[in-house]
Amino acid sequence: MLTIIATIKEEHLENIRSGKKLFEMRKTCPKSVPFRVLCCQSKSGGEILAEFVVKAPICVKPPVPFTPKLIEKTCITAEAAEQYAAGGTVWFWDVQDMIDYCSTPGHRVRNIAEFGLARAPQSWCYVEVE
């Protein structure tokens, strides 16, 4: 399966790990689905704290408005979503099969260096996984 590392703000990652956030909003999306997302927490020194699988991302192109239900599952305000999108196309990655490395037996917190990266990606990047 295609694997990426995505940098995610602490508050959003906490909502993903708790099961509250069901969609991650991004301006781009890998072309191949499903794909696995390794979640690197912003400002953590490259710690990967969780992972999830995206099986059916939703593309929203202007002028189609965001639905309240979709915004609610993203754990952001409608105003924040509109500001982020800035009138352009956005993707809502569906968070499925989430694994929290901090609380799931048999998993450990990883670091981006294990994937040959010197710094966390600005948004996301492809990685090779053995």
Side-chain angles (χ1 to χ4, degrees):
M1 178 183 310
L2 178 70
T3 301
I4 67 168
I5 292 179
T7 301
I8 302 176
K9 290 181 180 178
E10 182 179 3
E11 66 186 272
H12 297 302
L13 185 52
E14 286 302 316
N15 285 331
I16 289 171
R17 291 169 62 199
S18 72
K20 183 177 177 184
K21 183 176 172 112
L22 303 176
F23 286 98
E24 172 66 11
M25 186 176 175
R26 295 290 172 137
K27 291 184 180 179
T28 59
C29 185
K31 296 186 190 289
S32 176
V33 292
F35 58 92
R36 183 171 86 162
V37 180
L38 302 177
C39 305
C40 178
Q41 182 173 297
S42 296
K43 301 178 183 175
S44 70
E47 287 186 326
I48 298 171
L49 302 177
E51 71 176 65
F52 62 87
V53 175
V54 176
K55 296 179 183 177
I58 298 168
C59 180
V60 178
K61 297 180 180 182
V64 176
F66 303 125
T67 65
K69 188 175 183 178
L70 191 57
I71 293 300
E72 178 184 333
K73 292 180 178 183
T74 317
C75 294
I76 59 173
T77 65
E79 294 79 22
E82 291 293 340
Q83 184 178 16
Y84 177 76
T89 299
V90 293
W91 290 86
F92 291 84
W93 298 354
D94 54 312
V95 176
Q96 298 186 38
D97 305 329
M98 199 283 302
I99 299 171
D100 183 349
Y101 290 176
C102 298
S103 64
T104 306
H107 292 276
R108 63 175 176 79
V109 172
R110 301 172 82 180
N111 192 284
I112 58 169
E114 294 177 46
F115 300 92
L117 299 177
R119 64 175 182 80
Q122 290 291 331
S123 179
W124 61 268
C125 68
Y126 296 101
V127 292
E128 293 290 325
V129 178
E130 296 176 7

